[in-house]
Amino acid sequence: MSLKIKNLSKKYGAGLFSEGTEIFREVSFTLEAGKTFGLMGPSGVGKSTLGRITAGLEKPTDGDVFYKETSIFGLAGAERTAFRRKVQLMFQDPTDAFNPRKKIDRSIFEILKLIKIPEPERPDKTRTMLETIGLSEEVLSRFPAQLSGGQLQRLALGRILLLEPAFIVLDEPTSALDVSVQAQVLHLLKQVQEKWRIGYLLISHDEAIINFMSDSRGLLENGKLRVLD
Ligand code: ADP
Ligand code: MG
């Protein structure tokens, strides 16, 4: 299974009287199950924009994204819902991922409810998830502000995993974390990928992280993507 990014171009602000600003043009690459495509490039080149388009959260000006050989921008109804579940996005700042007014268990249980896990099964699902991400059950009774950035980023990943995604767009997943916990989170991401064969689009401005994590790499620069290997 793959997610194919074909000839994507993006302009912002194009209209009747304006050509708009071109961010990138004719960008193509493929995400494969169980593999990581590392996307690097300087700040402002459009890496996050490309990530949002890949996850179907934003439309390209031109080009297409194919999931199971079908264009994701033509999906509607149940198919669209299924795609939204199978391709997830993980953000740079894990504090944005959780409602500050809710204890962690409520945030987790809401997701389980949304995906129709029966109530009696929810505690077990939650426990298994916490084991996977290496946190103890104590975190459940905490508010987000009472947890560290590393703990929150693990939980953000855990919550995504409950949805059983096929692909995850990781947009600078460790940039907001202390250097000492960055490596732990990267190792966790690798473990999780091996276990469930999830495909990653890893976005980072840090070449060392890209090289450590990726099976193939691309450099976005001057509006074009250069696939390196
Ligand atoms: P990166 O993630 O590589 O730093 P972004 O994808 O965030 O780059 O942004 C690329 C460019 O597109 C930037 O110049 C940014 O200002 C512009 N941009 C991003 N989102 C929007 C938007 N919604 N409207 C207009 N311009 C945008
Ligand atoms: Mg960005």
Side-chain angles (χ1 to χ4, degrees):
M1 193 171 35
S2 63
L3 193 59
K4 286 200 178 86
I5 284 76
K6 276 252 170 82
N7 296 322
L8 288 186
S9 300
K10 183 68 183 180
K11 278 182 182 178
Y12 280 116
L16 262 185
F17 304 105
S18 164
E19 286 250 314
T21 309
E22 183 179 76
I23 309 297
F24 49 75
R25 89 192 89 93
E26 288 167 17
V27 167
S28 300
F29 59 93
T30 301
L31 301 181
E32 305 280 0
K35 304 270 191 214
T36 298
F37 183 83
L39 176 66
M40 55 186 160
S43 179
V45 285
K47 302 185 297 300
S48 294
T49 303
L50 198 48
R52 285 196 303 273
I53 294 173
T54 302
L57 300 178
E58 194 172 327
K59 285 200 167 143
T61 312
D62 242 309
D64 217 330
V65 177
F66 297 95
Y67 177 65
K68 294 182 177 172
E69 316 302 324
T70 307
S71 167
I72 65 167
F73 300 106
L75 299 176
E79 280 181 336
R80 188 181 157 81
T81 308
F83 171 79
R84 276 292 167 84
R85 212 175 131 175
K86 283 293 164 196
V87 182
Q88 291 291 315
L89 210 142
M90 188 165 132
F91 298 98
Q92 174 172 350
D93 190 346
T95 49
D96 293 343
F98 291 91
N99 184 333
R101 293 162 190 278
K102 285 182 188 162
K103 287 183 178 170
I104 297 299
D105 56 359
R106 269 190 65 198
S107 290
I108 302 292
F109 273 49
E110 273 170 17
I111 291 281
L112 293 171
K113 190 175 172 191
L114 190 79
I115 60 173
K116 303 193 166 62
I117 303 292
E119 207 166 343
E121 292 172 29
R122 289 179 203 164
D124 253 6
K125 277 260 176 203
T126 305
R127 264 193 290 276
T128 310
M129 181 273 272
L130 287 174
E131 260 169 47
T132 303
I133 60 171
L135 293 180
S136 76
E137 285 177 46
E138 283 160 42
V139 299
L140 293 173
S141 57
R142 306 280 170 81
F143 286 98
Q146 296 172 306
L147 298 172
S148 71
Q151 287 173 317
L152 282 176
Q153 198 59 309
R154 282 171 189 270
L155 281 166
L157 177 64
R159 198 171 54 174
I160 285 173
L161 293 176
L162 293 172
L163 303 170
E164 301 181 356
F167 294 95
I168 308 178
V169 176
L170 303 159
D171 193 352
E172 307 268 4
T174 59
S175 308
L177 305 179
D178 290 340
V179 175
S180 59
V181 292
Q182 284 190 7
Q184 294 171 14
V185 172
L186 293 175
H187 277 109
L188 174 63
L189 284 166
K190 278 204 166 188
Q191 272 173 26
V192 159
Q193 177 172 59
E194 269 169 34
K195 193 162 173 191
W196 287 290
R197 291 191 39 76
I198 303 171
Y200 290 156
L201 170 56
L202 172 66
I203 297 172
S204 179
H205 62 276
D206 186 329
E207 195 173 348
I209 290 178
I210 294 282
N211 291 347
F212 172 65
M213 295 290 290
S214 308
D215 298 284
S216 50
R217 302 171 301 157
L219 176 66
L220 189 60
E221 215 172 27
N222 303 320
K224 296 289 272 182
L225 181 76
R226 195 147 55 88
V227 176
L228 302 174
D229 45 28

